[in-house]
Amino acid sequence: MSSLSITPTIRAAGAVVLILRGSLGRTDISSFAGAVGRLLRAHRPRRMEVDLSGLLELEPGTAEAVLAVIRTASRESTEIVLSHAPSAVRQQLRAAGGEPYLT
């Protein structure tokens, strides 16, 4: 499994985006949660996008943990969406109940 890269960015239109690249495992969840929290505190966006286009794989059982982070963060009045998920990652997220968050 390759390492995970988490890159926060603000796009020209002001959209807050968190870009994930590599492989996401259970040991990466705290880093992911921390990055989401920092962006929410710093920018207080109405909507935040988590761009999964560079995510190669999710370790088994990790989709549920990702969704738990998103559900918790969404309580802060920020809509969080998962975009550009590769097919295998999308399947795992759907199976874990993540359909409402996928774009």
Side-chain angles (χ1 to χ4, degrees):
M1 197 178 264
S2 65
S3 65
L4 178 68
S5 167
I6 303 173
T7 307
T9 188
I10 308 299
R11 295 210 170 126
V16 175
V17 182
L18 194 61
I19 302 167
L20 304 184
R21 290 188 182 91
S23 298
L24 179 58
R26 306 255 317 133
T27 59
D28 300 308
I29 292 299
S30 63
S31 295
F32 172 66
V36 168
R38 283 188 297 279
L39 277 177
L40 291 177
R41 283 189 302 279
H43 301 284
R44 304 235 182 254
R46 292 181 193 232
R47 184 175 194 269
M48 184 169 86
E49 175 186 345
V50 179
D51 183 337
L52 304 175
S53 61
L55 197 61
L56 303 173
E57 63 182 329
L58 284 178
E59 186 177 276
T62 305
E64 292 83 358
V66 168
L67 294 173
V69 168
I70 289 171
R71 286 183 188 110
T72 299
S74 293
R75 293 184 193 139
E76 301 294 322
S77 301
T78 298
E79 174 190 17
I80 300 178
V81 297
L82 302 170
S83 66
H84 311 294
S87 180
V89 171
R90 180 175 288 275
Q91 275 185 308
Q92 286 179 280
L93 290 166
R94 277 189 176 138
E99 185 68 35
Y101 302 101
L102 291 165
T103 61

